[in-house]
Every structure is written in structure tokens, then in C-alpha cells.
Amino acid sequence: MNREPSPFIQACPVGCTSDLITTDILLPEGPLRRCTVCGQLASMCSAEEYYDSMEDFDRTEGTTPVDRSSLKRLEKMTNKILTKVEGIVKIPRNDLSLLDVGCSSGAFISVAKTMGVDVTGVEPAEKPAMAAKKSGLDVHNGLLEEIQFPDAFFTVITIFEVIEHLKDPIALMKECSRILRPGGLVIIRTGNAGSWTTRFMKARWEYFHIDRHGGHISFFNPVSIKKLAERSDFSVVRVDTHSVRFYEKGDVSRLTYRTAKIFSELLNRPSTWLAQGHELQAYLQKPSV
């Protein structure tokens, strides 16, 4: 008798010991399951489905901006992040040592480098890592735990659009703690599964779909991010969220999409105030002593 493959994720990725219960967010690989303690959502995909989807990232172009407007947005975002970091750690950007985990072809660290930051990257996919190296960036091909950086080596570690791919994010966070200087920051960017977007769109939100976003298997919210921080010996400095969505482009008529987009833009600021935006960015700090 053929059996359905076991889910790649068997327990709460954030380390809660409670059961994962079935939700009404039904995806092709099965319904998302929710931790009853922290609200973390987990995919039902198999290990084979997961690893197959991760092959999408092994592309030479990686995250390189496709045009000038994309580069301008990246520059604005990078400057905003570095300004926040300077305000928290009280160190000017010229004295920061930054590691980007899952750096792809190095777009973010390339811009940060032009702004005076000492940058390093780690990327498990070979093709984008090689592209980053060829462009002159200090990028290591492999998993962070394999590289074995020295203790207390970096001031800031960025983990952008990575943590939703991990079965065991606590292991990564503990390695980050080891190589981070006392008082240093980890900045995590991921989707917010506790957002208004999630409540309205449910399975229609493409962020949940592994066939559209390879490797997306673990979905955080502000509560589960705080649990992750606590279990990795970090404190949460701030959690920012923004953006609301009601429909994916192409799912409805152009008029409906445009009307919903106007309404969602009106909700963007309230979503930030109430931590209900579907884009989440968390600043976690290692103890100073």
C-alpha cells in the first residue's frame, strides 16, 4: 500500500512542544498547520517537495536589481536599515561589520558596501554565490554553520527572506549569537502570517505557495518571532510590519484589483501601527554582557 509522504516539518519550528493543529488554509500539499502556543504556521509539504523547490534559487542573476528604479528602492531600503542600526547599537556605519545570511548574488551587501559598511555574505546556492564573488564581494558558498566564522566577529547579521525556508531556525539563531559581538543585532525580514492579509486572503496569498516561492514552509508572526528570540538568547528591540493585500494581481478583474489596492493603501499606516502588515522586519539584540 502506498503511503502519503510525511511532512518535512513535524513540530513547531520555533520550539514549542504543543501540537500543530490543522487550519482552513488549504494548499495543494495539504492544509497549513498552526502551533497552539505561538501561532506559527507550518507547511505539509514533504522533504522531496521542499528540496525540489529550493533549486529555484540556484540562478546566477540571484537578487540583482533588474533596472535603475529597483536599484533606487534597494538603496533607499538599505540606508533606512543602516540608520536604524546606527540608532540601536550607537556605532556609525563605517565601523559596522555586517554579515548577510542567504545573500544570493549580493545585491544588498553591494549597496551597503558603497555606504561604508564592512560586508560579508553567505549563500548556499552555488551559482549566485559565485556571481557575487566575481563581482568582488566577500561571499562564502555554503550554510552558515559550515563556514565557522570566529566568535564575536560581526556587529550586525541580516537574515532577509530566509527564515521562512528553515525547518530549525533556532539552530541558525544560536550560530548567529556565537559569531555576533555583545550588543550586536540580528535583523530578520519575513512574511507576517498574523497579518490582515493572511486573514482575508488565506490560501490565496501567494506567499504560502511553495510552487511560487520555493522553500516557503514556515510562517512567522510577531508572537512566534519573540519566542524564537527568547529561545535563542536574544531580546526583541522592535518588530515593524507594513503593507496590506486583498488580491493577487490577475486573480480578479482590473477594476476590482485597483479598487482593492486603493483600499489596501489606506490601511497601510494602520497596519504598521497595529503590527498587522504582511511584511515583517524584526530587530533582535544579543545581550551586552
Side-chain angles (χ1 to χ4, degrees):
M1 179 183 294
N2 291 328
R3 293 184 178 180
E4 290 292 326
S6 298
F8 185 51
I9 295 179
Q10 297 285 337
C12 175
V14 179
C16 300
T17 56
S18 62
D19 292 335
L20 296 177
I21 61 171
T22 300
T23 72
D24 60 355
I25 303 175
L26 184 59
L27 303 175
E29 58 273 15
L32 290 178
R33 293 168 298 154
R34 176 181 287 111
C35 172
T36 57
V37 172
C38 70
Q40 184 78 0
L41 295 177
S43 172
M44 285 282 286
C45 79
S46 66
E48 183 180 5
E49 288 172 317
Y50 169 74
Y51 288 115
D52 284 348
S53 74
M54 288 295 287
E55 293 178 4
D56 292 345
F57 296 98
D58 198 15
R59 302 190 304 266
T60 300
E61 65 272 20
T63 54
T64 303
V66 296
D67 52 35
R68 183 62 185 168
S69 63
S70 298
L71 177 60
K72 282 291 185 182
R73 286 195 298 272
L74 178 59
E75 289 171 343
K76 183 178 180 180
M77 179 271 289
T78 303
N79 184 60
K80 188 175 181 179
I81 289 171
L82 294 178
T83 299
K84 286 182 180 179
V85 168
E86 289 173 312
I88 295 170
V89 301
K90 309 302 181 187
I91 297 173
R93 63 186 63 182
N94 288 345
D95 294 328
L96 294 175
S97 177
L98 183 149
L99 172 68
D100 188 25
V101 178
C103 69
S104 186
S105 54
F108 168 68
I109 57 174
S110 178
V111 171
K113 185 177 180 180
T114 68
M115 296 180 178
V117 181
D118 179 18
V119 297
T120 305
V122 171
E123 171 53 47
E126 183 177 4
K127 289 178 182 177
M130 293 304 105
K133 285 185 178 183
K134 287 180 181 178
S135 70
L137 294 169
D138 180 16
V139 169
H140 301 257
N141 181 210
L143 298 174
L144 178 62
E145 296 90 332
E146 299 170 345
I147 309 302
Q148 289 297 299
F149 289 111
D151 292 352
F153 195 67
F154 297 100
T155 318
V156 184
I157 299 175
T158 51
I159 308 173
F160 294 160
E161 305 299 335
V162 168
I163 205 159
E164 64 273 10
H165 300 261
L166 305 180
K167 182 179 182 179
D168 182 11
I170 293 178
L172 173 69
M173 293 299 296
K174 287 186 175 179
E175 178 65 4
C176 287
S177 179
R178 183 186 70 79
I179 63 177
L180 198 63
R181 295 171 188 169
L185 289 180
V186 169
I187 307 172
I188 296 171
R189 183 191 300 147
T190 188
N192 177 15
S195 65
W196 286 336
T197 297
T198 299
R199 292 176 196 174
F200 184 84
M201 295 187 71
K202 296 187 178 179
R204 293 189 296 105
W205 189 24
E206 69 171 17
Y207 193 83
F208 288 143
H209 288 257
I210 198 169
D211 59 335
R212 302 182 197 178
H213 294 274
H216 281 204
I217 57 171
S218 181
F219 306 102
F220 289 79
N221 62 73
V223 173
S224 63
I225 282 285
K226 289 176 183 177
K227 292 288 186 185
L228 176 67
E230 292 167 3
R231 290 164 182 163
S232 310
D233 301 320
F234 284 91
S235 61
V236 178
V237 177
R238 61 185 294 166
V239 175
D240 301 328
T241 79
H242 65 87
S243 299
V244 179
R245 186 178 300 166
F246 296 107
Y247 297 102
E248 301 293 356
K249 198 169 185 178
D251 287 351
V252 291
S253 70
R254 184 177 297 181
L255 178 60
T256 300
Y257 179 77
R258 286 182 175 178
T259 303
K261 188 173 182 181
I262 291 169
F263 186 48
S264 68
E265 288 173 354
L266 292 174
L267 289 174
N268 278 344
R269 186 159 293 184
S271 77
T272 298
W273 297 334
L274 299 171
Q276 292 294 323
H278 66 247
E279 298 282 351
L280 184 154
Q281 191 155 284
Y283 293 74
L284 313 183
Q285 190 165 31
K286 180 178 176 177
S288 296
V289 291

